[in-house]
Amino acid sequence: MFITEKRAQKIINLLKKRQKDLQLFSDNVSNPHNFSAILRTSDAVGVLYLYYRYSGSDKIINEDITMGSHKWVIHQKVPDEKIEEFFLSKKKEGFQIVATSLSEDSVHFRKVDYTKPTIIVVGHELKGVSEEILHFADKKIIIPMYGMAQSLNVSVATGVILYEAQRQREEKGMYEKPSLSEEEIENILKEWSTENVIRDKMKKSAVKHFLKND
C-alpha cells in the first residue's frame, strides 16, 4: 500500500458513495474549462465513470478547474469507431441512454427516472449531441428555459441534470448502500493509490530537475 491508512479509509468511504450505474458521456465537449467543470461536478454527485469522445488536439483536462477531482472519476475516451459498440454494450447491460436535445420529442429532464441504470449524454457547445448518438437514446431531455437564451452552458446544464439524478437517488437511499462490491472497491483503491503516488513522484522529480537546471 502506497498511502496511509487514514487516506485509504477516506477513499474507501468515497467509493462506498459512488454510483457505478449513474454514468456520463461527453460527446465532443471541446472547451477544457467546460469538460473539467463537468468532471468536477461528476465527482461531487458520486459519478464513478465518465466516458467521452473528443476530436480536439489540445489537452482536455484543466487541473486548475478540476481542483484534483479528475483523480477520483474514472474517465475514459471512446474512439469514434467504437461509439456504436459502446452504446450497444451499455444497452445490453441494462442502461437507459438519456441525451440532451432541443427536439420536439424531448421531455422535461425531471420526468426521467434516474434511479435506473442511466447514462446521461451531453454534447458539443454549439452542435449538441450528435445524431449518431441520439440514435441510441431511449429518452431525449430538455431543461425548460424562460429567458431569451435557448440553452444553458453545457457544464451548467450537466450540473442541473446530475443534481436532479442525485436528488432522486438520495431520496431512494441509494447513497447509503454501496453499489460497488468489496472486490471492486479494493481494486479501485489499489489503482488510485498507486497512480497518485507515481504521479506525485513524477511531479516532484520534474521540480527537482527544473531547480537543478535553473
Side-chain angles (χ1 to χ4, degrees), residues 179-193:
S179 65
L180 292 164
S181 67
E182 288 186 9
E183 184 180 359
E184 287 173 320
I185 289 175
E186 184 178 341
N187 289 337
I188 295 171
L189 174 63
K190 286 179 181 177
E191 184 177 344
W192 281 359
S193 59

Side-chain angles (χ1 to χ4, degrees), residues 1-2 36 73 82 99 122 132 149 173 177 188-189 193 198 212:
M1 181 63 66
F2 290 96
S36 300
V73 178
K82 296 285 187 178
V122 297
E132 177 188 9
K177 183 179 179 181
I188 295 171
L189 174 63
S193 59
I198 291 172
K212 189 182 292 184

Side-chain angles (χ1 to χ4, degrees), residues 3-19:
I3 56 176
T4 65
E5 185 177 340
K6 184 178 179 181
R7 181 69 165 173
Q9 189 58 55
K10 187 173 182 179
I11 296 173
I12 289 170
N13 291 339
L14 177 149
L15 288 170
K16 285 181 177 179
K17 300 288 185 183
R18 282 296 192 248
Q19 306 290 294

Side-chain angles (χ1 to χ4, degrees), residues 5-60:
E5 185 177 340
K6 184 178 179 181
R7 181 69 165 173
Q9 189 58 55
K10 187 173 182 179
I11 296 173
I12 289 170
N13 291 339
L14 177 149
L15 288 170
K16 285 181 177 179
K17 300 288 185 183
R18 282 296 192 248
Q19 306 290 294
K20 74 173 183 180
D21 63 350
L22 176 63
Q23 302 180 1
L24 196 66
F25 188 95
S26 166
D27 183 20
N28 250 325
V29 171
S30 60
N31 185 305
H33 184 114
N34 288 334
F35 185 81
S36 300
I38 288 170
L39 253 174
R40 188 170 172 177
T41 305
S42 296
D43 170 54
V45 302
V47 169
L48 180 60
Y49 295 102
L50 186 156
Y51 302 94
Y52 65 100
R53 169 161 65 175
Y54 177 59
S55 57
S57 56
D58 296 332
K59 183 180 177 183
I60 191 62

